[in-house]
Amino acid sequence: MSPLLSQLTYYIAIFGGLIAAMFMGSSLGAEEYSTVIFSFLTIVAVMWVVLSGEGWWLPMIFSVGIGGLFYVPFKVYPHEIALAVCGIALLPRIPFKVAGLRKDRRPLPLAYWLLLTYISIHASIGLFNYWGTGGGGNVARAFMNGLWPLIFGLGFYLYGSIKLLKTGLRFLYLALVIRLTFGLVNYYFDDVFIIPGLNYTIDPQDLRNSGFMLVFLIPLQLITSRSPLVKAWHALTLPIAMYAWLLGGSRGQIAVAMILVFIGLLVCRRWVPLTAGTALSIIFVITINAAPSTLEGLPYRLQRAFSILIVGPTVELEVQQDVKGSDQFRSVISDEGYRRWSGSLQSFAVGVGVRPYDEAATLMAQRFEVDAFTLLIQSSADVGAYETGLWTVLAVTGVVGMALFAWLLISFSKDVVGALHAGHLFGSELAICIWAAMAMIGWFFTCPFYGGFPSFELFLGFIAKAVVEDRREEQEAALEAKATPPVARLQPLRGRQPALAGA
C-alpha cells in the first residue's frame, strides 16, 4: 500500500477539520450561536463514535459513581445522559460485524426478556394515559429508574468488553471521590452548591450514597489488588470514606451494610472473618443498648446513623425524638403501598403503575386544608417513591413484576456465586463479582425497609454475568484442549527412501 493510502484517514481528518473550522467561523461571524453549538456537538459525537472502541460503556460506570443531577433547566440525571452517550457510540457499530464488538456469550435468561417486555408495557401504558396532561415526563422518569439497567445491561452483555473492567472500576472510584468531596464541602459549609456552567449539584444528604458505595468498593479493591502501594492507598482512604458515609446519617444503611458484609463473607466462604465479624457486631449492638448515652458524644449525624441499633421503644436520646418523623413517614408510605397493591385483584397482579405529580390536586388540597403530611404521602406514592424496594416493586408492578425481578436476580446470583466458588476469578473481575453477589442477594433481605427498584443491583449483575460467561468459555476451551490428545507428529524417514510407484 502506498504511503498516501496508509495515511488517508489522517488527511481526511485534516480536510474535514478545515471545512468545519471555516463553517463554524462563518456561523460565529453571523452570530448563529445555536448552529455553532449544534455543529460542535455533532463533531464531538462523531469523534466519540469513531474513537470510543471497546470503551463505549465507560461513561455509564462513571455516571453511576458521580450521581447528582443537572438542571437544563429541568432535571437530568447522569445515568440518563450516559445511556444516550453509550448508545451514540454503540448503535452505529452494531450493523457492521467487522467492528468486532459482538461477544460470543450464551443467551440471556428468559427472565430478562420477560421483565424488559413487562416494564416496557407498563411504561407505555403510563405514557399513553398521561402524555397529553403534561405528566408524561414524571411517568417516564419513574419507569426509567427500573428500565435503565435492563437497557444498558443488554448492550453490555452483547457488546461490552471485560478487558476494560479494571479501567471501569477506576472510573467509578474517581467519580465517587469527586462526589464525596463535593458532599463534604456541602456538609461543612452547611449549604448545597451548584457548579456553575454545568448546573450540577447533589442531594444535601448525598454523603450517605457516595460514602456507602466507596465503603464497599475500597475493601474489594484492597483485597484484590497486588500492588503494595495501591493497598496502602486504599487502606488510608477507607477510614475517610467510612467517616463521610456515617456523616450521611442514614440509619437504614447501617443495617444494610451489616447484612451485605455477612452475605459477602458467606458467599466467599470466609468462615473465620464471618464468625469474628458476627460476634463483634453482636457485642457492639449489646454495648450500645446497654449504654445508649454513649452515642451523645458523637456528631449528630453519627448519632442518627447508629440510633437504628438501639432496640426497643424506650426513648433515651434526643436524636431518637428527631427521627420519629422519618419513622412515621416510612411506616405510613409503606401502609399506602400495601393499600394500593391490595386494593383489587388487578392491582395485586400487575400493580397500580405510576401517576404524574398532580399540581392541581395539591392546590385543591391546600384550599380545603388537607393535611400536608397526607398530601406528601399521596404525591410520593403516585410517582412510585415508596422508600423501600418491596413496595416500590409490588405497588408499581404487582406480583408479576416482583416475580420477574426475583427470577432475574436469582438467575444471575446462581451463576455469579458458582463462579466465585470455582475459584478462577482474580483482580477486578473477582471484585465486581463479589459486589454483585452481595448486592443481588442482599436486595431480598433489605427491600422491606430500604431501596427501590433493584437497578444498581442489576447493573452490577449484568457486568458480573458477562465476566462469568467469558471465564466459563475460557475454562471450557482449556478443558477441551486438555482432553483432546495431541496429534502425533510425522517423523522424517531415515536411510534410503523407497522409490515412489510409477516414478
Side-chain angles (χ1 to χ4, degrees):
M1 182 182 292
S2 67
L4 179 62
L5 291 177
S6 64
Q7 298 182 9
L8 183 60
T9 304
Y10 173 74
Y11 291 118
I12 291 176
I14 292 178
F15 182 71
L18 289 173
I19 294 178
M22 293 170 60
F23 174 75
M24 294 181 70
S26 62
S27 298
L28 282 173
E31 297 184 354
E32 298 176 354
Y33 299 115
S34 59
T35 303
V36 173
I37 294 173
F38 178 78
S39 301
F40 176 76
L41 293 177
T42 302
I43 293 172
V44 170
V46 172
M47 292 179 62
W48 169 242
V49 171
V50 173
L51 301 176
S52 59
E54 296 280 12
W56 64 267
W57 61 275
L58 294 177
M60 179 57 78
I61 198 167
F62 184 86
S63 73
V64 169
I66 202 67
L69 56 94
F70 297 88
Y71 288 100
V72 289
F74 51 88
K75 294 179 181 179
V76 177
Y77 293 92
H79 66 268
E80 296 172 348
I81 299 175
L83 197 62
V85 172
C86 293
I88 289 173
L90 178 61
L91 292 177
R93 296 168 177 264
I94 291 177
F96 302 99
K97 295 183 179 180
V98 293
L101 290 180
R102 182 65 183 262
K103 308 303 175 186
D104 186 19
R105 294 165 181 155
R106 296 190 306 175
L108 283 166
L110 177 63
Y112 167 77
W113 298 106
L114 293 177
L115 178 60
L116 178 64
T117 303
Y118 182 72
I119 300 298
S120 299
I121 292 174
H122 245 294
S124 299
I125 293 174
L127 289 173
F128 178 80
N129 290 335
Y130 297 106
W131 190 259
T133 64
N138 296 134
V139 175
R141 169 149 293 151
F143 280 111
M144 185 56 68
N145 291 333
L147 271 174
W148 74 262
L150 302 178
I151 298 172
F152 170 79
L154 176 62
F156 183 85
Y157 189 77
L158 296 180
Y159 301 98
S161 172
I162 66 172
K163 295 178 181 178
L164 295 177
L165 186 55
K166 187 175 183 179
T167 302
L169 289 181
R170 287 175 177 174
F171 270 59
L172 177 61
Y173 181 86
L174 174 62
L176 287 171
V177 169
I178 295 172
R179 180 177 172 185
L180 186 79
T181 304
F182 195 7
L184 288 173
V185 170
N186 284 348
Y187 172 77
Y188 283 109
F189 283 91
D190 195 20
D191 200 353
V192 181
F193 293 98
I194 297 178
I195 298 178
L198 296 176
N199 286 340
Y200 168 78
T201 188
I202 59 176
D203 187 87
Q205 297 179 333
D206 190 75
L207 281 174
R208 62 179 57 179
N209 298 318
S210 57
F212 184 70
M213 293 176 69
L214 274 175
V215 162
F216 284 94
L217 177 59
I218 292 176
L220 291 172
Q221 294 283 67
L222 181 63
I223 63 177
T224 57
S225 176
R226 296 181 179 181
S227 171
L229 290 178
V230 174
K231 287 180 176 290
W233 168 257
H234 290 316
L236 290 174
T237 56
L238 181 58
I240 300 173
M242 292 189 68
Y243 178 71
W245 167 51
L246 293 174
L247 284 179
S250 175
R251 296 172 298 150
Q253 285 183 348
I254 296 291
V256 172
M258 296 174 70
I259 292 172
L260 294 189
V261 170
F262 180 86
I263 291 173
L265 294 174
L266 185 64
V267 165
C268 295
R269 299 175 177 177
R270 303 295 181 181
W271 308 120
V272 174
L274 178 63
T275 304
T278 303
L280 289 174
S281 299
I282 293 174
I283 293 173
F284 183 62
V285 173
I286 292 175
T287 302
I288 288 180
N289 282 272
S293 59
T294 56
L295 296 180
E296 293 179 331
L298 300 175
Y300 174 79
R301 290 197 180 184
L302 269 67
Q303 292 184 45
R304 189 182 191 280
F306 285 122
S307 65
I308 194 174
L309 301 179
I310 299 177
V311 182
T314 304
V315 177
E316 298 187 17
L317 300 179
E318 181 179 351
V319 68
Q320 289 179 283
Q321 297 284 359
D322 296 340
V323 299
K324 275 189 171 182
S326 177
D327 292 339
Q328 183 183 7
F329 178 81
R330 283 182 174 272
S331 175
V332 175
I333 194 70
S334 295
D335 291 342
E336 179 66 16
Y338 174 77
R339 185 187 69 80
R340 295 191 180 198
W341 171 62
S342 60
S344 66
L345 184 61
Q346 177 180 334
S347 62
F348 178 84
V350 299
V352 296
V354 173
R355 308 171 197 168
Y357 175 74
D358 193 345
E359 186 176 356
T362 301
L363 295 176
M364 290 295 293
Q366 293 175 349
R367 178 180 176 183
F368 291 103
E369 299 182 355
V370 175
D371 181 26
F373 184 77
T374 302
L375 184 63
L376 176 63
I377 293 294
Q378 296 299 318
S379 300
S380 298
D382 284 346
V383 297
Y386 291 94
E387 299 287 329
T388 62
L390 178 65
W391 295 117
T392 297
V393 174
L394 277 179
V396 174
T397 65
V399 171
V400 175
M402 175 62 79
L404 292 175
F405 272 114
W407 185 5
L408 184 58
L409 287 170
I410 292 173
S411 176
F412 280 178
S413 298
K414 288 174 61 177
D415 290 340
V416 174
V417 172
L420 289 173
H421 290 172
H424 52 255
L425 300 175
F426 303 95
S428 299
E429 297 176 8
L430 177 61
I432 201 72
C433 285
I434 294 175
W435 200 359
M438 287 192 297
M440 291 189 294
I441 299 173
W443 187 84
F444 292 99
F445 296 94
T446 61
C447 69
F449 62 89
Y450 180 80
F453 286 114
S455 301
F456 180 68
E457 292 82 359
L458 286 175
F459 169 74
L460 295 176
F462 277 104
I463 299 176
K465 173 70 172 175
V467 170
V468 170
E469 291 302 321
D470 286 3
R471 291 295 164 255
R472 186 203 307 273
E473 184 179 349
E474 287 185 3
Q475 293 294 315
E476 291 176 353
L479 291 175
E480 183 178 351
K482 186 181 295 186
T484 303
V487 179
R489 294 173 56 186
L490 296 177
Q491 299 295 330
L493 297 175
R494 295 184 180 180
R496 186 177 178 179
Q497 299 293 330
L500 294 177

